[in-house]
Amino acid sequence: MQFSGEGESNPQPLTRPTVGITIPASLRALRRRSMTPRPKARRSTTETEATGFWRILCLCEVANFAALRRHLGRPRADLLAGDVAGRVLEQCADVRIVSVGRNLVEIAFERETMDAASADLETLRQAMSAPFDCEGEQFELDVQFGAAAAPAEEHDEVRLSEAAESALDQARTERRLVMLDLSRTDLAFDRLALMRELPRAIASGEMFLQYQPKVNVRRQVVASAEALVRWQHPTRGLILPGDFVSAAEQAGAIASLTLWTLRQVIADQKLLAADGHDLTLFINISGTLLADTGFVEEACAIVSESGARLGFEITETAVIRDPGTAIRHLQKFADIGVSLAIDDYGAGLSSLAYLKQLPAKELKIDKMFVLQLTSSNRDPLIVRSTIDLAHALEMEVTAEGVETPSALALLSVMGCDMVQGFLISRPLGIGALRAYLAEEGHAAPASNVNTLFHRPESFWKRA
């Protein structure tokens, strides 16, 4: 991939080949204009370094492409990247843009500061929220942005491209614009290095688990907990799941990582049960594993032999990838007593058609709707309707991201069954969780008048 490097007499546009897309003639004209660098953008290396010039590479993806293709048909859907490119150029005419797939475009430009680059990307993100006209009909495109920014003296094009891809992975998960700053010495990770190191890390015990409790609102006791895997790297320090899970999927190590997690959670669940806290412990299952028959069979054997109380959390998008296989395998888990929870509900393309088919007993409302529950007009309506829907489907509801007593009070009034978040507890190691449960007497019967919720806010925020 070529990028318009500073100090070149004739900067060149990105030349990655276009894959499977035809851009309308009007957009091709815009594209030719946009890919011609303006004179004021040309600077010598010395000048760009002196002024803090930044190079930006952004990947812009139509996340709901598959759903739109079913409505529009393949020929028209294949033009969606061109539609996105056209709208980008309407907002920022000086960028260079090229299509790199049917649902992906690559945008390159330069700015004097990171703040200016962030502002332009936010303008683009907001512009994408308006409906697109497709053959006379209005459609909303779910467009995600992942970008990387490098100072003028940074000439590693591969690193810039990999950072943009990493940012897009993070944007898909967090549902927000993500821009990584390559000038930071603490930039989270080198994806290729992590992919190489993961098998060794799993084998050498660098992985560990933390647990975040979930409280039953009516009974006012900790009813279960979610296991969260962490990586204590010997030189990089603590690496969080958002940084290494996608790398594990790409490296083919996600199955071994999940099976390690499963065995460790079983051991920890038995420790808690011996303490008198027979809680269900949940682990997150990657969508790629729901189509892996070998993994499903091995996981079922491990769970059946253990007798531990376990739950699996899966996202809707994991099911949408291959609904038939995913639902069949989820039913196998349910048949051996594994509790199933739908995670991050509302953050993606929620589908009632899939929701009613899943053998899940719990639905978790994404924290994006909970964090502003008491300051938004719409979020309470969405949360209340989701609670009612889940109850109609005989599911319990967990609200993620509960951080204030006012949000807890409102969720209680709405009939939410369980809550999870920093107001209850931050994620704890198994030793800290055992001490926490013992100290607060969560094994006491629900009729105990000394309930969990009669506490000052300072109590809830202790880790």
Side-chain angles (χ1 to χ4, degrees):
M1 179 182 68
Q2 297 180 352
F3 193 92
S4 177
E6 314 321 322
E8 296 176 355
S9 58
N10 293 297
Q12 296 298 312
L14 294 167
T15 58
R16 182 177 292 175
T18 300
V19 179
I21 182 163
T22 303
I23 298 181
S26 59
L27 294 185
R28 289 200 297 270
L30 282 172
R31 177 176 165 185
R32 284 194 297 271
R33 184 186 72 190
S34 72
M35 296 176 71
T36 304
R38 300 189 299 181
K40 70 177 184 178
R42 297 184 197 162
R43 297 170 180 263
S44 67
T45 301
T46 303
E47 181 183 1
T48 56
E49 291 178 1
T51 57
F53 208 62
W54 291 84
R55 298 185 300 142
I56 314 299
L57 181 64
C58 177
L59 295 177
C60 181
E61 180 185 66
V62 181
N64 59 337
F65 178 82
L68 291 168
R69 183 173 57 189
R70 288 194 292 270
H71 288 285
L72 296 170
R74 182 170 181 173
R76 181 61 185 89
D78 285 349
L79 301 180
L80 290 174
D83 296 332
V84 171
R87 188 164 294 185
V88 167
L89 294 173
E90 289 173 3
Q91 300 296 322
C92 298
D94 64 330
V95 304
R96 300 176 302 286
I97 185 167
V98 67
S99 304
V100 292
R102 289 179 295 175
N103 68 330
L104 187 68
V105 297
E106 190 175 77
I107 307 166
F109 59 97
E110 297 79 30
R111 289 296 180 266
E112 296 285 348
T113 65
M114 279 277 291
D115 288 344
S118 296
D120 282 350
L121 290 175
E122 180 60 23
T123 297
L124 293 180
R125 189 190 67 81
Q126 293 181 8
M128 296 300 162
S129 63
F132 284 73
D133 188 295
C134 301
E135 307 295 334
E137 293 186 67
Q138 300 294 304
F139 289 89
E140 292 186 358
L141 271 60
D142 177 14
V143 182
Q144 299 298 322
F145 291 83
E153 62 271 22
E154 171 67 65
H155 299 295
D156 189 342
E157 307 300 339
V158 173
R159 183 168 181 249
L160 186 67
S161 178
E162 288 183 351
E165 292 170 358
S166 298
L168 182 59
D169 283 343
Q170 187 176 343
R172 292 187 190 109
T173 301
E174 300 182 7
R175 312 292 300 173
R176 65 178 180 87
L177 187 156
V178 174
M179 183 163 68
L180 300 181
D181 176 1
L182 294 188
S183 70
R184 287 174 44 190
T185 58
D186 64 337
L187 190 61
F189 59 96
D190 177 337
R191 176 174 298 275
L192 293 178
L194 289 189
M195 290 170 65
R196 290 192 300 268
E197 295 174 2
L198 262 170
R200 175 198 55 77
I202 296 170
S204 61
E206 293 175 14
M207 300 294 178
F208 69 98
L209 298 179
Q210 292 182 321
Y211 295 91
Q212 189 167 39
K214 294 191 285 187
V215 167
N216 185 292
V217 176
R218 287 187 296 276
R219 294 170 51 214
Q220 301 183 358
V221 295
V222 173
S224 60
E226 178 183 358
L228 304 166
V229 65
R230 306 286 191 251
W231 182 357
Q232 188 62 48
H233 194 281
T235 59
R236 301 171 188 266
L238 181 64
I239 304 177
L240 298 178
D243 292 342
F244 68 81
V245 168
S246 59
E249 291 176 336
Q250 292 182 17
I254 191 64
S256 59
L257 175 59
T258 305
L259 291 173
W260 173 88
T261 303
L262 180 59
R263 292 185 175 98
Q264 188 60 53
V265 165
I266 289 171
D268 290 344
Q269 201 278 334
K270 291 182 177 180
L271 283 177
L272 294 177
D275 291 343
H277 312 294
D278 195 14
L279 307 179
T280 299
L281 298 184
F282 284 82
I283 70 173
N284 291 279
I285 302 295
S286 167
T288 60
L289 296 179
L290 290 182
D292 186 339
T293 301
F295 166 81
V296 171
E297 291 177 352
E298 186 169 359
C300 285
I302 293 171
V303 172
S304 297
E305 184 180 349
S306 73
R309 295 183 61 181
L310 301 173
F312 291 167
E313 295 190 3
I314 51 99
T315 62
E316 295 171 280
T317 52
V319 176
I320 291 173
R321 293 173 184 173
D322 184 356
T325 302
I327 292 172
R328 185 171 65 254
H329 286 162
L330 287 172
Q331 189 61 57
K332 286 187 176 181
F333 291 138
D335 289 343
I336 62 171
V338 175
S339 299
L340 299 176
I342 299 171
D343 197 15
D344 300 332
Y345 183 80
L349 297 171
S350 301
S351 171
L352 296 180
Y354 295 132
L355 187 61
K356 69 179 184 179
Q357 297 181 58
L358 300 179
K361 297 300 182 183
E362 179 182 339
L363 185 147
K364 301 184 71 176
I365 301 175
D366 188 78
K367 64 182 179 182
M368 67 183 291
F369 299 109
V370 178
L371 291 174
Q372 300 182 24
L373 191 61
T374 57
S375 59
S376 165
N377 292 327
R378 293 186 175 183
D379 287 351
L381 299 175
I382 294 172
V383 171
R384 179 59 184 268
S385 62
T386 301
I387 292 172
D388 291 343
L389 171 65
H391 287 169
L393 294 173
E394 299 183 341
M395 293 185 187
E396 289 190 317
V397 180
T398 297
E400 299 181 287
V402 179
E403 298 185 355
T404 64
S406 55
L408 173 61
L410 185 54
L411 288 164
S412 178
V413 171
M414 289 179 173
C416 186
D417 302 290
M418 288 179 287
V419 291
Q420 177 181 358
F422 284 179
L423 182 65
I424 308 304
S425 172
R426 288 177 171 81
L428 305 169
I430 185 60
L433 178 62
R434 294 174 71 185
Y436 174 80
L437 294 172
E439 177 187 353
E440 302 308 327
H442 292 309
S447 59
N448 191 328
V449 295
N450 250 337
T451 60
L452 284 171
F453 297 149
H454 298 158
R455 310 280 189 175
E457 185 170 355
S458 59
F459 166 81
W460 292 108
K461 293 193 174 181
R462 291 187 301 174

